[in-house]
Amino acid sequence: MNVHQSLSVSRRDFLRNAIGATTSLCALRPLSAMALSGGRSQKAVIITFGGGARDDETFSVDGQQYIPNLLNTLAPQSCFFTQVINRGILGHYVATASIVTGAYETFDNFVAQPPAYPTIFEYFRKDLRRPREDAWAIAPGNLFAQMGASRNRRYGPAIGAELLLPKHLLASVLGTANVPLLDAYPNLLRGNYEQPDVANSEGVSQDHEQMERMVERLQLNSADLRARVAAMRSPDELSVYFAKHVMRTFAPSLLFLVLHDIDIAHSGAYSLYLDGIRSTDRLCAEMWREIQSNPEYKDKTSLFIMPDFGRDGDGDAGGNGFQHHRTGSASARTTWMMALGPAVRQKTVVQRPLESIDLAAAVSRVLGFDPRLMQGKPIPELMG
Ligand SMILES: [Zn+2]
């Protein structure tokens, strides 16, 4: 048994108890024709449990204490995949772009650029002739600013996603002077955790006109926003706030939310990394509750949750345990995925290995578009 498999087996064993599910497919229930074919009324929300969460602090026996919401509320009603392998580059933007395109992107992770392969947003909008406001991506910072559309000439920005960068939007609503804002919201405006030198440059380089239009369309009220952000503790809380706001304003059929708080692990503080996992667990449950309480989403939305990748194992040569994701080991590459909602099978645990690029194929099935250039494979266990 290799390391990928043993991580998978440990998840399977406890999930069998937690979910009360069989690990085979013998308990499958029949699905409606709508669920199998996708359709106009179906919606999909994708959340990356990012950036970079190990098995040790999530679905391992010792890690379960940090994910009570995933474990007790979401997993028991999900289709859970115990072994999802990311065979691509373990950098957050390039990995997220690969999830969005369903193909392994190979560009430099630290250079913001459009993916080479068409994104799910472009396939969806082109095939189903949807307006821009029906596909949204909410991402943690500048580096992700071009994840909403590819450089493929048959697709591209004209049919890409509406992209929202929460920190930029906050800066736009609450003022244009960067320094006072950073002083007021040092935790919310943090840019990224891997390039400390540029960490605080977020929030100033945005196209102000574009931001003003976004503020207007979302009908954001500065006094209301100021009051709400006063209680927020992390960038991901801000992202979820805007995600819910977008859902209530535009009710997009396709919403991709990139979470990133966990990557604070690069600081080397294990307690902050654990705080990030606890917070991400709570925010995933908050998004599921929003789906259930919003009539535009309830009973017609599939929610997919998956980490972008793991982090280095404690024993990995050349690594420093949880702090980074540099070794390319099984611990850094092996993760999990859960899917919830009426269009997917529930109470099912699937052990067969998947790849992280397969998620996009699952989304294409739910929404009913043709991902022509995708490398990811269909997941028959999910829907039939
Ligand atoms: Zn990282």
Side-chain angles (χ1 to χ4, degrees):
M1 182 181 292
N2 66 31
V3 184
H4 293 295
Q5 287 169 331
S6 69
L7 289 172
S8 166
V9 166
S10 88
R11 291 191 187 104
R12 180 204 62 196
D13 288 346
F14 86 81
L15 280 166
R16 180 190 288 149
N17 298 325
I19 299 179
T22 60
T23 55
S24 69
L25 294 174
C26 60
L28 300 182
R29 62 185 173 80
L31 289 162
S32 69
M34 175 62 86
L36 290 171
S37 64
R40 286 196 70 82
S41 65
Q42 294 290 301
K43 294 183 187 288
V45 176
I46 302 106
I47 303 175
T48 59
F49 196 89
R54 297 196 303 190
D55 198 58
D56 307 62
E57 290 82 22
T58 55
F59 280 103
S60 73
V61 172
D62 291 339
Q64 293 166 27
Q65 60 186 305
Y66 308 119
I67 53 164
N69 290 288
L70 291 187
L71 191 70
N72 301 319
T73 305
L74 302 186
Q77 52 189 313
S78 77
C79 186
F80 193 95
F81 297 85
T82 64
Q83 192 179 173
V84 179
I85 301 171
N86 185 329
R87 299 192 189 283
I89 299 170
L90 303 183
H92 300 291
Y93 174 47
V94 69
T96 302
S98 300
I99 293 168
V100 161
T101 59
Y104 288 121
E105 297 285 341
T106 55
F107 54 76
D108 178 350
N109 178 66
F110 294 106
V111 178
Q113 58 189 291
Y117 289 86
T119 63
I120 51 175
F121 313 113
E122 296 158 82
Y123 290 126
F124 167 68
R125 285 195 54 208
K126 187 172 188 176
D127 285 3
L128 279 74
R129 298 172 186 235
R130 298 298 180 90
R132 181 176 296 277
E133 59 261 28
D134 208 24
W136 283 72
I138 297 174
N142 277 337
L143 206 52
F144 296 77
Q146 297 190 60
M147 66 173 277
S150 71
R151 55 179 187 266
N152 183 294
R153 281 184 294 174
R154 291 177 182 275
Y155 293 86
I159 51 169
E162 192 78 75
L163 193 104
L164 192 159
L165 301 176
K167 303 181 191 82
H168 296 254
L169 197 52
L170 180 68
S172 186
V173 176
L174 298 189
T176 53
N178 193 46
V179 173
L181 264 182
L182 281 173
D183 288 346
Y185 307 107
N187 295 327
L188 300 188
L189 292 176
R190 183 189 287 259
N192 71 66
Y193 304 101
E194 293 179 60
Q195 295 174 301
D197 294 345
V198 300
N200 287 337
S201 67
E202 296 277 355
V204 287
S205 59
Q206 193 68 15
D207 176 336
H208 286 297
E209 277 185 27
Q210 192 186 345
M211 278 294 108
E212 278 170 19
R213 280 199 300 277
M214 180 80 83
V215 170
E216 211 168 281
R217 293 172 63 208
L218 285 170
Q219 298 166 12
L220 292 167
N221 174 288
S222 62
D224 180 54
L225 186 60
R226 194 180 299 276
R228 288 180 183 278
V229 298
M232 292 182 189
R233 288 166 298 178
S234 77
D236 283 351
E237 289 189 20
L238 184 66
S239 294
V240 167
Y241 171 76
F242 282 129
K244 288 158 62 173
H245 198 86
V246 165
M247 290 165 76
R248 292 170 191 179
T249 308
F250 296 104
S253 301
L254 176 54
L255 175 69
F256 196 106
L257 172 62
V258 183
L259 298 181
H260 200 59
D261 281 354
I262 294 169
D263 207 35
I264 200 168
H266 286 295
S267 70
Y270 191 64
S271 62
L272 294 181
Y273 167 53
L274 294 180
D275 285 348
I277 289 176
R278 287 193 192 94
S279 159
T280 307
D281 171 72
R282 182 172 49 77
L283 292 172
C284 286
E286 194 174 322
M287 286 295 290
W288 179 243
R289 281 197 299 276
E290 177 68 17
I291 288 168
Q292 298 311 305
S293 63
N294 183 330
E296 293 283 345
Y297 287 87
K298 184 176 168 53
D299 297 332
K300 54 187 166 193
T301 301
S302 299
L303 172 64
F304 297 87
I305 303 173
M306 183 177 77
D308 44 0
F309 44 76
R311 306 190 82 82
D312 298 336
D314 289 336
D316 289 353
N320 192 26
F322 75 94
Q323 188 173 5
H324 302 301
H325 37 87
R326 294 172 175 166
T327 66
S329 67
S331 172
R333 293 196 177 280
T334 313
T335 180
W336 48 269
M337 179 175 87
M338 67 167 72
L340 300 96
V344 301
R345 299 189 190 285
Q346 300 172 24
K347 289 183 173 287
T348 304
V349 178
V350 179
Q351 244 185 293
R352 174 180 74 80
L354 300 185
E355 294 190 41
S356 49
I357 54 173
D358 296 341
L359 183 150
V363 174
S364 77
R365 190 82 190 276
V366 168
L367 294 180
F369 59 82
D370 179 9
R372 297 164 188 81
L373 303 176
M374 201 173 276
Q375 297 168 348
K377 295 183 176 60
I379 307 175
E381 298 93 337
L382 198 59
M383 288 183 281

